[in-house]
Amino acid sequence: MSRQIITQGGKPAFVVIPIEEWRRIEATLEDRADTATVRAFLKSPAETFPDAVVTAILDGTPPLKALREHRGLTQAGLAKACATSAVYISQIERGTRRAGRTLAAKLGKALGVEAGLLQDD
């Protein structure tokens, strides 16, 4: 590998290497970072969701509705699990009402997700 060392004040300060060598180094660093990310996930795997759920949310479906349907719950079933009404769940999904902190925590628990994932911001 050819390289050029640039000094400042008599001490090495910079190294100039061919661009292809830099690209190889950069790819290696990215591969190592990806590997570390995968290892961390495998040590403590979090739940993942099917593409259809993520796509629905990205396409505008309220997260509460997408996750409720993913879990196979009706509005009435989710309402019962959270001690609220199906009308309230419908209103939250349509965006005409917001869930308070207590209800948001119950919804998250019933759906097995963090309450923050249900916000439609």
Side-chain angles (χ1 to χ4, degrees), residues 2-109:
S2 64
R3 65 177 187 241
Q4 175 188 3
I5 298 176
I6 300 172
T7 60
Q8 282 185 334
K11 296 182 180 180
F14 302 95
V15 177
V16 180
I17 60 173
I19 191 69
E20 288 306 316
E21 183 64 17
W22 169 248
R23 288 183 179 138
R24 187 188 66 74
I25 291 168
E26 190 175 38
T28 299
L29 292 172
E30 287 177 5
D31 288 347
R32 287 183 181 174
D34 291 345
T35 300
T37 300
V38 169
R39 283 187 181 144
F41 175 79
L42 292 174
K43 276 186 178 179
S44 179
E47 181 179 11
T48 58
F49 297 98
D51 288 343
V53 174
V54 176
T55 300
I57 293 169
L58 292 175
D59 286 344
T61 300
L64 178 62
K65 181 177 181 178
L67 291 166
R68 175 183 58 76
E69 289 176 347
H70 171 65
R71 297 288 190 225
L73 291 170
T74 62
Q75 288 178 343
L78 180 58
K80 184 176 180 181
C82 296
T84 191
S85 71
V87 172
Y88 195 3
I89 298 296
S90 175
Q91 291 170 337
I92 295 168
E93 287 184 355
R94 288 192 325 264
T96 58
R97 288 185 75 179
R98 293 185 61 100
R101 211 175 318 156
T102 303
L103 180 57
K106 288 179 181 180
L107 291 167
K109 185 174 181 180

